[in-house]
């Protein structure tokens, strides 16, 4: 296998505590050696081994590729009019999802995949090298299964979200829809997914329905994650912890008991500030979670309704400005935190054996991601050892 040395790195974020006494494992005046699709060596520039090819970072910062652990990218259409109305004073509810369901059902497989690839390329240019994505805009057996088949061609982190909302076809019989989601639909979708998710929220699924759906998914070998406590207080976080979900996502409205439950569990609190930005809602209190010892991840929640951004750097800036996170905490949450939310150890860090997923910033430090919001600082991306952007 050929090797590549990236040298003259001004500041390197490794997320490996072996390189310092902070979680970011910062190395100044650093170098990285890539061998095949993996990191082979990390350390001070003066100790770097020889390699087949050399890339001069010219004093720029290098960070792990972002791990976007929550997105909804298999869809058609957009909801511009809904966003415009919301910015004019209308409140956000889960009901707008039905608009995307209608457009997605009407789209061809080719149209859905082209739209997915478009947004993946957009995210890659901004430094995202690992992403999770969900079904949830089909809400029929065939439409949910085809969404997962399409997604699985582009990522291993595929989530079955038949329980996004109650299908409009079952508006008068939610119990029958839950039976479909836990029965025939699950049977068709499970072979194409790793995860099962549910929108546990008023207007979507209550605690009992969510428990039934997640339990059925676990019985089919799918690992749980939960849309929890976004629009108000509810049972989502407690249910996520009870069922040992990898993550509880949103976590905007939390009781002290919810925070304690997360702090004493392996469930990651995945915060999605793009949703609060786009809906003018209350920000999640990251500071409260971090001070309690909760593991926090940051993700985009990229979807056409409530968070139509694929930019992790934008979410980092929001988290630092409005959610009480330090630049270091936000950097870790968007990389290593996302990896933990996906129960991955081979991404989100730059250490020997991990995938060679990294981004070169046109800046001397990762702090510039929050310091210079809205500026396209990612100047190059390597994914699985290959220069990808």
């Amino acid at each position: 296998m050929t090797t590549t040395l990236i040298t003259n790195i001004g500041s390197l974020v490794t997320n490996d505590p072996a390189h310092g006494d902070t979680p970011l494992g910062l190395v100044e005046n650093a170098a990285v050696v890539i061998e095949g699709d993996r990191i082979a060596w990390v350390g001070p520039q003066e100790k770097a081994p020889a390699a087949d090819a050399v890339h001069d970072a010219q004093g720029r910062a290098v960070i792990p590729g972002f791990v976007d652990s929550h997105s909804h990218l298999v869809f058609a259409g957009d909801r511009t009019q809904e966003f415009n109305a919301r910015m004019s004073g209308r409140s956000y509810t889960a009901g707008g999802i039905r608009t995307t369901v209608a457009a997605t059902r009407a789209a061809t497989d080719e149209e859905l995949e082209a739209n997915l690839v478009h947004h993946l390329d957009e995210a890659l240019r901004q430094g995202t090298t690992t992403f999770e994505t969900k079904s949830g805009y089909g809400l029929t057996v065939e439409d949910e299964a085809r969404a997962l088949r399409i997604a699985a061609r582009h990522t291993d982190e595929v989530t079955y979200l038949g329980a996004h909302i109650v299908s409009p076809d079952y508006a008068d019989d939610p119990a029958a829809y839950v039976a479909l989601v836990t029965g025939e639909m699950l049977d068709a979708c499970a072979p194409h997914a790793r995860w099962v998710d549910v929108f546990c929220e008023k207007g979507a699924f209550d605690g009992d329905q969510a428990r039934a759906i997640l339990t059925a998914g676990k019985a089919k070998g799918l690992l749980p994650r939960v849309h929890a406590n976004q629009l108000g207080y509810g049972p989502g976080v407690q249910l996520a912890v009870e069922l040992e979900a990898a993550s509880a996502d949103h976590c905007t409205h939390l009781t002290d008991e919810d925070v304690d439950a997360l702090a004493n569990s392996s469930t990651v609190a995945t915060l999605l500030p793009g949703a609060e930005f786009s809906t003018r809602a209350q920000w999640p209190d990251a500071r409260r979670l971090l001070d309690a010892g909760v593991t926090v991840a940051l993700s985009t929640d990229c979807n056409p309704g409530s968070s139509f951004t694929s930019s992790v750097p934008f979410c980092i800036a929001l988290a630092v400005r409005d959610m009480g996170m330090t630049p270091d905490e936000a950097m870790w949450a968007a990389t290593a935190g996302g990896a933990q939310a996906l129960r991955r150890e081979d991404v989100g860090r730059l250490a020997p054996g991990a995938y060679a997923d990294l981004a070169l910033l046109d800046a001397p430090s990762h702090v510039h991601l929050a310091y210079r919001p809205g500026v396209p600082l990612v100047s190059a991306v390597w994914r699985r050892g290959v220069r990808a952007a």
Side-chain angles (χ1 to χ4, degrees), residues 92-372:
Y92 173 70
T93 67
I97 293 169
R98 295 180 181 86
T99 303
T100 302
V101 169
T104 302
R105 288 179 178 181
T108 65
D109 289 10
E110 291 75 18
E111 289 168 337
L112 292 177
E113 186 158 22
N115 193 51
L116 170 67
V117 170
H118 169 78
H119 288 100
L120 292 183
D121 289 346
E122 183 180 86
L124 181 67
R125 291 194 299 272
Q126 297 173 90
T128 298
T129 52
T130 301
F131 76 98
E132 176 270 2
T133 201
K134 310 175 193 294
S135 65
Y137 290 128
L139 309 186
T140 67
V141 172
E142 177 49 39
D143 283 308
E144 287 295 292
R146 75 164 177 154
L148 296 173
R149 287 195 302 269
I150 290 168
R153 290 199 280 266
H154 299 274
T155 181
D156 295 331
E157 304 299 344
V158 179
T159 300
Y160 168 49
L161 184 60
H164 202 179
I165 58 168
V166 173
S167 169
D169 309 321
Y170 290 81
D172 297 326
D173 195 356
Y177 186 65
V178 172
L180 180 69
V181 169
T182 57
E184 181 184 356
M185 186 183 288
L186 175 60
D187 291 341
C189 290
H192 309 293
R194 183 183 180 207
W195 305 96
V196 59
D197 198 347
V198 61
F199 191 12
C200 184
E201 199 74 57
K202 184 177 180 180
F205 298 89
D206 64 24
D208 290 340
Q209 293 169 327
R211 180 181 286 103
I213 291 161
L214 295 169
T215 301
K218 287 184 72 173
K220 285 285 187 179
L222 302 181
L223 303 173
R225 49 201 323 110
V226 184
H227 281 64
N229 300 55
Q230 176 188 7
L231 305 180
Y233 296 98
V237 164
Q238 296 289 341
L239 183 61
V241 172
E242 172 194 330
L243 296 180
E244 299 181 323
S247 67
D249 297 19
H250 288 289
C251 293
T252 308
H253 299 274
L254 302 178
T255 65
D256 289 344
E257 291 75 17
D258 292 333
V259 175
D260 288 344
L262 288 166
N264 291 289
S265 76
S266 62
T267 299
V268 175
T270 299
L271 308 183
L272 309 167
E276 280 71 37
F277 176 88
S278 184
T279 60
R280 286 183 175 157
Q282 172 185 322
W283 297 104
D285 189 346
R287 184 78 270 136
R288 179 187 181 197
L289 290 164
L290 290 163
D291 288 349
V294 177
T295 301
V296 171
L298 281 176
S299 184
T300 64
D301 190 20
C302 187
N303 75 82
S306 61
S307 184
F308 204 6
T309 180
S310 60
S311 175
V312 174
F314 174 64
C315 293
I316 287 174
L318 292 179
V320 172
R321 169 62 178 79
D322 292 305
M323 289 161 48
M325 300 185 86
T326 68
D328 283 11
E329 289 167 340
M331 179 73 247
W332 191 94
T335 51
Q340 287 201 24
L342 295 175
R343 293 187 173 165
R344 297 278 296 271
E345 296 183 351
D346 54 354
V347 296
R349 62 192 185 99
L350 297 177
Y355 279 116
D357 294 349
L358 54 92
L360 180 66
L361 304 183
D362 191 14
S365 166
H366 66 281
V367 177
H368 280 235
L369 293 167
Y371 179 42
R372 304 196 68 208

Side-chain angles (χ1 to χ4, degrees), residues 1-6 9 12-16 19 31-43 49 62-65 129 345-359 382-386:
M1 288 185 288
T2 59
T3 56
T4 299
L5 168 65
I6 302 177
I9 298 170
L12 173 67
V13 174
T14 67
N15 289 336
D16 183 354
H19 289 287
V32 172
V33 175
I34 298 169
E35 183 174 9
D37 62 357
R38 303 279 176 163
I39 299 293
W41 183 90
V42 171
V62 168
I63 62 173
T129 52
E345 296 183 351
D346 54 354
V347 296
R349 62 192 185 99
L350 297 177
Y355 279 116
D357 294 349
L358 54 92
W382 280 260
R383 186 175 185 275
R384 301 291 170 91
V386 176

